[in-house]
Amino acid sequence: MKLRSLTRWLTVFLLGSASLLTLPALAADEAANALINRLSTEVLGSIKANASVRAGDVATIVTLVDATVMPHMDFKRMTASAVGPSWREASPQQQKRLQEEFKTLLVRTYAGAVAQVADLRVVVKPLRASTQDTEVVVRTEIQGRGDPVQLDYRLVKTSGDGAGWKIYNLNVMGVWLVETYRSQFAQEVNTKGVDGLIATLADRNKSNAGKG
């Protein structure tokens, strides 16, 4: 149940909506829970409106991810947390490859679940945080099929270019995405090093591409 829910709802988040491109100024001032509510609503609308997305077309999903979702994620932090202490020892080129392969892994892994989410809805719970907080957890509930599914987002408030709340982790029914991958990645790094982890991710992505 947890893994199926994780698959379903990471997919929901990854899809985004083209309308986000018209709202760059809003993101900087938008509250964290308002951002999640807007993203969730627009993502579900995007799925319903785009047959290629519902069919799990990877090329279409990658385009949407790059154009709309990535501006709302601190993906470097997400990848660094998943890799663990070895991230600091990796060269800039290795860090770049890790981010690329990790993103591809997430998109291709969850692309096939898109068709399952169109009839669901997201309820964003009240935010328990002060206006001074720079890191928050936004809690939501997914309703529409069977028992409600808990989905929480960790966000950090950033400044400078592209300022606003950025998502860097997801929790489905008590399972944090980054921690799940961290245990897997640690085993690879311990036995094969950072380059070995990159190679393993690349091989897995090639295998997933072949299945598509």
Side-chain angles (χ1 to χ4, degrees), residues 73-84 87 99 102 134-135 154-158 166-169 178 182:
M73 293 185 68
D74 188 342
F75 199 73
K76 180 177 181 180
R77 176 170 178 170
M78 179 180 283
T79 308
S81 296
V83 173
W87 174 264
Q99 289 185 74
F102 189 34
T134 58
E135 294 197 27
R154 285 196 187 279
L155 299 95
V156 58
K157 193 167 190 178
T158 61
K166 308 291 184 183
I167 300 166
Y168 68 91
N169 207 348
V178 166
R182 182 183 296 157

Side-chain angles (χ1 to χ4, degrees), residues 39-199:
L39 283 174
S40 300
T41 300
E42 293 175 341
V43 162
L44 290 174
S46 180
I47 296 172
K48 294 176 182 179
N50 193 316
S52 294
V53 171
R54 292 198 310 274
D57 181 76
V58 173
T60 302
I61 293 173
V62 169
T63 298
L64 286 171
V65 168
D66 286 338
T68 64
V69 175
M70 292 316 250
H72 297 280
M73 293 185 68
D74 188 342
F75 199 73
K76 180 177 181 180
R77 176 170 178 170
M78 179 180 283
T79 308
S81 296
V83 173
S86 297
W87 174 264
R88 294 189 297 271
E89 302 170 6
S91 69
Q93 180 61 31
Q94 287 175 319
Q95 292 179 353
K96 181 174 181 292
R97 284 291 312 283
L98 285 166
Q99 289 185 74
E100 292 171 348
E101 298 296 345
F102 189 34
K103 185 185 77 171
T104 301
L105 174 66
L106 294 180
V107 173
R108 288 196 175 276
T109 298
Y110 302 112
V114 177
Q116 305 176 29
V117 303
D119 60 343
L120 304 177
R121 71 188 186 99
V122 181
V123 176
V124 179
K125 297 182 179 181
L127 182 63
R128 298 177 179 177
S130 71
T131 56
Q132 289 76 37
D133 288 340
T134 58
E135 294 197 27
V136 299
V137 174
V138 174
R139 305 186 186 281
T140 74
E141 189 174 85
I142 312 308
Q143 301 177 352
R145 288 186 181 181
D147 295 333
V149 175
Q150 169 198 342
L151 174 63
D152 301 334
Y153 300 80
R154 285 196 187 279
L155 299 95
V156 58
K157 193 167 190 178
T158 61
S159 58
D161 187 32
W165 289 101
K166 308 291 184 183
I167 300 166
Y168 68 91
N169 207 348
L170 299 171
N171 179 352
V172 180
M173 298 177 64
V175 179
W176 285 103
L177 172 72
V178 166
E179 282 70 19
T180 298
Y181 278 104
R182 182 183 296 157
S183 61
Q184 299 176 24
F185 291 176
Q187 294 178 10
E188 292 291 331
V189 172
N190 288 339
T191 58
K192 304 177 183 178
V194 172
D195 284 333
L197 172 59
I198 294 171

